Amino acid sequence: MFCYQCEQTDRTGATPGCAGLLGNCGKDAATSDLQDLLIHAVEGVAQYASKARALGAPDDEAAAFVLYAVFTTLTNVNFNPTRFDALIREAVAVRDRVKDGYERAARAAGREPQTLTGPAAWTPAPDAAGLAGQASDARVDLGLPLVGPDVVALRSLHLYALKGICAYAHHADVLGRNSAEVFGGVEDALAHLAGQPADAADLLERAVGLGRLNLAAIELLDAANTGTYGAQQPTAVRTTPVAGKAILVSGHDLRDLAALLEQTKDQGVNVYTHGEMLPAHAYPLLKAYPHLAGNYGGAWQDQQREFAAFPGPILMTSNCIIEPHVSYRRRIFTAGPVGWPGVRHLTDHRFAPVIQAAKALPGFPQTAADEESITVGFGRDAVLAVADQVVDAVRQGAIRHFFLVGGCDGPTPGRDYYTEFALGAPRDSVVLTLGCAKYRFNRHEFGEIGGIPRLLDLGQCNDTYSAIRIATALADAFGCGVDDLPLTLALSWTEQKAVAVLLTLLALGIRDIHLGPSLPGFLTPALVDGLVERFGLRVIGDPAADVAAALERAAS
């Protein structure tokens, strides 16, 4: 195996990358190799799909499969080699169907169909040993001696951004929102990667284009979430338990949560959110369920301790799973793209086994004496409803600066930076946050400025579009560009959705982004220098110094 797609990447060797038998995320070599082969297989689907779409014969079912398949390869999503073996073979079947469709469309247009090579012609070996032997032809660093590390880094940047885009687009697609722009953009980009591109300048420009494609994907997701469950509303979420049987839901997938809430209605079972599901409490159609009892625990990296202590079953949706401890392995379930060997996987949003487990387990014996809460739900509708107050506060000097502290939390050292950065923001500033990095500081008291809370929780990382809309609306109100606002972004990254978001911000012309706690391992020094020069990308340093420097830049 060779993998360096996330912040958990092993950096002890001469070059970053997890190799050997086990990655730092817990992914074994067999699963890592199968993930590489699955990407290879879907590139073959995309090669024919992009040509069919250009002829007016798109296969949207195949496009949706590509989103799902790529999503399964993100960090901390699926660790089950059996599932990947099946997906590889399904991808080849989908590719052959799309190829037939392309050939029919070409002939109907009076053209001779092309016979494509590379992934489009690949045949998987019939067994696990044979697939292991093929994995070397699908490594992310394929061709390194020929094209050099900078080109390989740019290809990796493309692939990991595409993984993030596919995750966002899949979340939208399961709620019935998709578009030819996103389907076609993903197909074109994967087909381009299938050709092993080697033009560094072109790859960098195309990376910015992927940022624009991700903007389209997260706009779809925003429309899917708000169109299905209503616009987020500021909501105080209980963080202490209530007596009764209990189910814990983690990950990101609101559709799974909604299905579980409906199936547990009047069943005498309370449902709690965990991790990035915290913002679900802000959606009117979800918080209308009285047995959506509160949020339990914090960010994903603490799940082994928190899940062990939870007195009911756990449902993992979409991503963020880590190896289940023996103390709860028999009461954790997966859904959607998530998987772990030996853990029961549920399909079609049918959660009867989870409900049965909840009724059999003890639940919380009593309600906590002291109720505690966290306020969420400051999505774009809520914030823009008071935009005039915000603008007036800035013009009158009551609000000097905005700090957006967002992204992923994680177990690696250096993430206390975000606590100190947020708490170190001056009292005349507002802190916006989204993603599970918020758990580093969201229990602290930030106070208000003229009735406006100083800490505004914008939601999941899936709600990035909401943050962008708020920024662009404020820029319009002040008659300036987003980069001219008194706004500083400090982003913590762990996996590939953060890569896609970073490219979107760069595509929007936003400069001086503070990224940490370390730079992605797949970025070479030359590529980092290029990003710094072109986009002003900054590596996080001392939090107090970074806050001071941001205020100084804004004042100059």
Side-chain angles (χ1 to χ4, degrees):
M1 69 176 285
F2 176 77
C3 183
Y4 57 0
Q5 70 178 8
C6 78
E7 206 268 335
Q8 300 173 75
T9 293
D10 184 3
R11 298 171 189 265
T12 59
T15 58
C18 292
L21 298 178
L22 194 68
N24 285 343
C25 69
K27 180 171 60 177
D28 62 32
T31 302
S32 180
D33 289 346
L34 289 170
Q35 289 183 355
D36 290 344
L37 287 171
L38 178 57
I39 293 297
H40 189 69
V42 297
E43 286 177 350
V45 176
Q47 284 177 276
Y48 277 113
S50 62
K51 289 190 173 297
R53 191 174 293 275
L55 290 170
D59 187 331
D60 287 350
E61 184 179 340
F65 169 78
V66 167
L67 299 182
Y68 174 84
V70 173
F71 193 172
T72 64
T73 70
L74 266 75
T75 300
N76 292 352
V77 173
N78 199 312
F79 296 77
N80 191 337
T82 302
R83 292 264 301 277
F84 284 110
D85 186 294
L87 281 169
I88 288 167
R89 300 184 194 287
E90 184 177 357
V92 172
V94 170
R95 181 199 68 197
D96 291 346
R97 187 190 77 224
V98 173
K99 176 184 176 182
D100 289 342
Y102 157 68
E103 290 176 345
R104 288 194 301 272
R107 292 189 183 100
R111 303 179 186 179
E112 182 65 25
Q114 293 178 261
T115 299
L116 304 180
T117 59
W122 178 68
T123 300
D127 54 29
L131 287 173
Q134 293 178 314
S136 60
D137 293 329
R139 286 169 56 111
V140 69
D141 60 349
L142 187 67
L144 176 61
L146 180 64
V147 299
D150 294 338
V151 167
V152 168
L154 283 163
R155 290 176 184 168
S156 301
L157 178 64
H158 276 237
L159 175 59
Y160 300 149
L162 279 167
K163 288 189 177 191
I165 293 167
C166 286
Y168 289 132
H170 171 75
H171 278 300
D173 185 61
V174 297
L175 290 175
R177 296 286 182 133
N178 53 58
S179 73
E181 177 186 6
V182 173
F183 279 161
V186 168
E187 290 166 353
D188 287 346
L190 283 170
H192 186 68
L193 282 181
Q196 295 292 302
D199 185 326
D202 180 65
L203 280 166
L204 185 56
E205 290 308 313
R206 284 176 177 267
V208 176
L210 289 179
R212 291 189 286 269
L213 179 62
N214 186 59
L215 181 61
I218 60 177
E219 183 177 7
L220 277 178
L221 179 53
D222 178 85
N225 286 340
T226 58
T228 305
Y229 304 114
Q232 291 188 50
Q233 301 169 345
T235 303
V237 182
R238 185 184 184 109
T239 58
T240 47
V242 296
K245 304 291 187 178
I247 296 172
L248 187 63
V249 184
S250 192
H252 298 69
D253 197 287
L254 297 183
R255 184 181 176 188
D256 280 338
L257 175 62
L260 179 66
L261 287 169
E262 184 61 26
Q263 291 168 39
T264 49
K265 188 169 60 176
D266 302 323
Q267 294 287 315
V269 177
N270 290 321
V271 175
Y272 294 82
T273 57
H274 175 270
E276 288 254 53
M277 287 298 246
L278 168 62
H281 294 265
Y283 289 94
L285 268 66
L286 297 177
K287 72 177 184 175
Y289 288 93
H291 61 297
L292 181 60
N295 189 74
Y296 174 91
W300 65 272
Q301 75 274 4
D302 297 325
Q303 67 186 252
Q304 288 182 325
R305 171 176 53 83
E306 292 169 350
F307 290 2
F310 188 77
I314 302 105
L315 175 64
M316 286 299 306
T317 74
S318 69
N319 49 316
C320 295
I321 192 171
I322 58 179
E323 182 174 7
H325 189 266
V326 66
S327 60
Y328 61 87
R329 189 178 292 246
R330 295 183 64 184
R331 56 185 173 88
I332 187 171
F333 301 81
T334 61
V338 190
W340 192 278
V343 169
R344 187 168 180 182
H345 185 73
L346 305 177
T347 60
D348 301 320
H349 311 286
R350 296 176 180 175
F351 299 126
V354 183
I355 300 168
Q356 292 168 3
K359 292 180 177 180
L361 289 163
F364 289 104
Q366 60 187 20
T367 299
D370 297 323
E371 180 178 346
E372 299 176 4
S373 65
I374 297 171
T375 300
V376 300
F378 294 99
R380 59 185 174 88
D381 294 274
V383 174
L384 295 182
V386 295
D388 290 345
Q389 292 175 246
V390 173
V391 171
D392 286 345
V394 173
R395 286 176 172 159
Q396 294 169 13
I399 296 177
R400 178 169 38 144
H401 205 79
F402 298 91
F403 294 93
L404 193 155
V405 185
C408 320
D409 203 355
T412 50
R415 292 183 181 272
D416 286 343
Y417 168 93
Y418 299 95
T419 309
E420 296 176 29
F421 187 93
L423 297 179
R427 301 294 300 177
D428 57 354
S429 66
V430 172
V431 177
L432 312 170
T433 185
L434 73 165
C436 63
K438 68 166 79 47
Y439 284 108
R440 290 279 169 173
F441 49 83
N442 66 350
R443 292 179 183 270
H444 291 269
E445 178 55 51
F446 280 77
E448 298 181 345
I449 298 176
I452 301 167
R454 284 195 59 240
L455 178 64
L456 299 176
D457 186 340
L458 307 183
Q460 298 180 337
C461 70
N462 288 10
D463 296 305
T464 300
Y465 181 74
S466 192
I468 290 172
R469 281 289 305 276
I470 291 169
T472 54
L474 290 175
D476 290 343
F478 288 111
C480 66
V482 172
D483 198 47
D484 298 316
L485 288 171
L487 169 67
T488 299
L489 281 68
L491 304 181
S492 59
W493 83 286
T494 292
E495 41 91 326
Q496 297 76 64
K497 287 186 288 183
V499 177
V501 169
L502 176 62
L503 290 182
T504 295
L505 297 174
L506 299 182
L508 290 170
I510 299 174
R511 295 180 57 84
D512 298 320
I513 298 169
H514 295 252
L515 185 66
S518 60
L519 288 175
F522 57 85
L523 295 181
T524 62
L527 185 51
V528 170
D529 290 344
L531 294 173
V532 168
E533 180 179 356
R534 180 169 175 178
F535 301 107
L537 192 66
R538 299 172 182 269
V539 184
I540 64 170
D542 175 75
D546 286 350
V547 168
L551 294 173
E552 184 178 346
R553 285 195 302 271
S556 62

